[in-house]
Amino acid sequence: MNSNIELESRYCAHNYHPLPVVLVRGEGVYVWDDQGKRYLDMMSAYSAVSHGHCHPRLVNALSKQAGQLAIVSRAFYTDKLAPFLEKACQMTGQEMALPMNTGAEAVETALKAARKWAYKVKGVADDQAEIIVCDGNFHGRTISIVSFSSEQQYRDGFGPLTPGFKTVPFGDADALEAVINPNTAAFLVEPIQGEGGIVVPPPGYLKRVAKICSDNNVLLLCDEIQTGLGRTGTLLASDHDAVKPDGLILGKALGGGLMPVSLFLSSREVMDVFQPGDHGSTFGGNPLSSAVALEGLNILEEEGLIDASREMGDYFISSLIELQSSLIKEVRGRGLLIGVEFHANKVAARTVCEQLMDRGILSKETHDTVVRFAPPLMITRDQVDEVINQLSQVLAGLAG
Ligand SMILES: *Cc1c(COP(=O)(O)O)cnc(C)c1O
């Protein structure tokens, strides 16, 4: 057994079940293990590495800023935070942003903003605010967030759970409309459910949801931590429905694959509920993160990564459909956020991932039946062909 794997299982909490490969280097769509073997990365760290591994412009922005000024806390202004937030607001059409680090923190920020908005602006009575979420959601791992997870394992053993959340089926706008009441502060939704298994809602779902929310004075909060920043072939997945959410949550790829950077963005009306001392983060908005994130946003535009994601995503999805394997139940996704669901009684998704790994393709199962294909956005047609070729051989072998 590889000594790094042994050591990690001795010293690191067993809260993940990694594939048995030890990675030591990355460049673009490729990563290399400690034996020098090269892999195509179809995971991109759950979409955090949309720009590719160690993008030279991002590495340059990071090292330049690291040698200049890295962390000062928000007790002071810096020359890096404002340009980053201005760019993020201009690109997304939002008015203000609150910087955090991880996705879960930005989701917590959105929940706090929605509750406080309900009390201060909408006029909901103290402690009565409700937030509606979807069945199959994934928004992170804090106690409050797992409180409204529909995944039993995510909640089990972590009670008492946070109250104030209601769940409706994903993709069902009528169900949302039916549970809204005068205490409803917000509806929190992923435009495409990522960890839930790359679940794409029916066409026009988000458009109807936005109308229902605005008719009822309920905030629409879109968690685009995974779907945002070009992943689905548009800047935001909500752009597919021409919807501008009242609150937008970004993370993952926002840090360019180098830093944890997240944002909660919204209108001035919503963000103004936060007064000094109401909320904060020691590292949120630090100049090192801000410099990297701003460069990441510039790269998305200047290198045409969003269009590339749409074009390669279409090609990838149609190539997967053409495989016509009897093991495949469904291919779904948008842009380069793609899930292949296998028939549960025929093959385990984990087995497919292990065999792909042997053939130099890294991916990871989500739940027991879905394999995710979410490579860096600059993946080429030849690289997609290589994945399809290896996958078809794996499936041929497994089909017997
Ligand atoms: C990954 C993810 C999160 C949590 O982000 P962390 O950085 O892991 O805290 C929240 N929402 C969605 C949709 C995600 O995919």
Side-chain angles (χ1 to χ4, degrees), residues 98-100 104-114 264 271 274 279:
L98 196 158
M100 300 295 280
E105 290 173 307
V107 172
E108 288 278 347
T109 304
L111 300 175
K112 287 172 90 170
F264 170 63
M271 201 65 85
F274 288 118
H279 189 48

Side-chain angles (χ1 to χ4, degrees), residues 102-105 107 138-140 190 195 223 225-226 252:
T102 65
E105 290 173 307
V107 172
F138 183 84
H139 298 288
E190 300 156 84
E195 298 318 294
D223 180 347
I225 290 171
Q226 184 154 168
K252 292 203 167 112

Side-chain angles (χ1 to χ4, degrees), residues 16 46-47 101-107 138-141 145 190 192-195 223-227 249 251-252 260 262 372:
Y16 279 84
Y46 299 91
S47 299
N101 313 283
T102 65
E105 290 173 307
V107 172
F138 183 84
H139 298 288
R141 300 293 201 153
I145 293 171
E190 300 156 84
I192 294 175
Q193 288 188 332
E195 298 318 294
D223 180 347
E224 297 235 24
I225 290 171
Q226 184 154 168
T227 54
I249 309 162
K252 292 203 167 112
S262 64
R372 157 200 319 255

Side-chain angles (χ1 to χ4, degrees), residues 51-112:
H51 299 78
H53 291 278
C54 302
H55 191 294
R57 278 179 65 181
L58 289 168
V59 171
N60 188 41
L62 179 91
S63 36
K64 203 173 138 215
Q65 190 61 38
Q68 191 169 316
L69 183 69
I71 316 281
V72 291
S73 86
R74 293 215 24 230
F76 313 103
Y77 293 90
T78 68
D79 63 341
K80 291 297 177 302
L81 180 56
F84 161 45
L85 299 187
E86 180 182 36
K87 178 79 182 172
C89 285
Q90 281 172 354
M91 282 176 79
T92 59
Q94 299 288 341
E95 287 178 328
M96 297 180 84
L98 196 158
M100 300 295 280
N101 313 283
T102 65
E105 290 173 307
V107 172
E108 288 278 347
T109 304
L111 300 175
K112 287 172 90 170

Side-chain angles (χ1 to χ4, degrees), residues 363-381:
S363 189
K364 189 78 165 63
E365 74 278 8
T366 159
H367 297 281
D368 293 334
T369 52
V370 180
V371 175
R372 157 200 319 255
F373 293 94
L377 304 185
M378 5 66 82
I379 190 169
T380 64
R381 186 175 276 258

